[in-house]
Amino acid sequence: MLEVLHLLSFGLGLVSGILLILGLIRPVLVLWFMDRFNRLKVIQVYGIATLIFIGVSFLIQLIG
């Protein structure tokens, strides 16, 4: 069960990291659902998500 949670959180962290890099190049591609899109918003949304998912993945790996 912990392996599944680890792989899920690591996968989501990887996807949000890719979207972070893509959003730094073209913010409109990843922030299409917001009224304003700039690189600071990309870092706020996807940077925080990347850190959280990778952190959870690391914690699950330490526990298991």
Side-chain angles (χ1 to χ4, degrees):
M1 183 67 180
L2 284 177
E3 278 187 43
V4 172
L5 291 175
H6 169 65
L7 286 175
L8 182 66
S9 62
F10 185 75
L12 288 173
L14 190 64
V15 168
S16 61
I18 291 169
L19 290 175
L20 172 67
I21 292 170
L22 183 64
L24 289 176
I25 297 169
R26 296 272 319 243
V28 70
L29 294 177
V30 295
L31 293 179
W32 53 268
F33 54 90
M34 297 184 122
D35 57 344
R36 298 188 71 185
F37 30 84
N38 55 20
R39 287 173 179 85
L40 181 62
K41 285 283 190 189
V42 170
I43 293 172
Q44 287 175 346
V45 172
Y46 291 102
I48 291 173
T50 301
L51 289 176
I52 288 173
F53 285 132
I54 296 296
V56 167
S57 173
F58 181 70
L59 287 176
I60 291 174
Q61 188 177 13
L62 285 178
I63 291 171

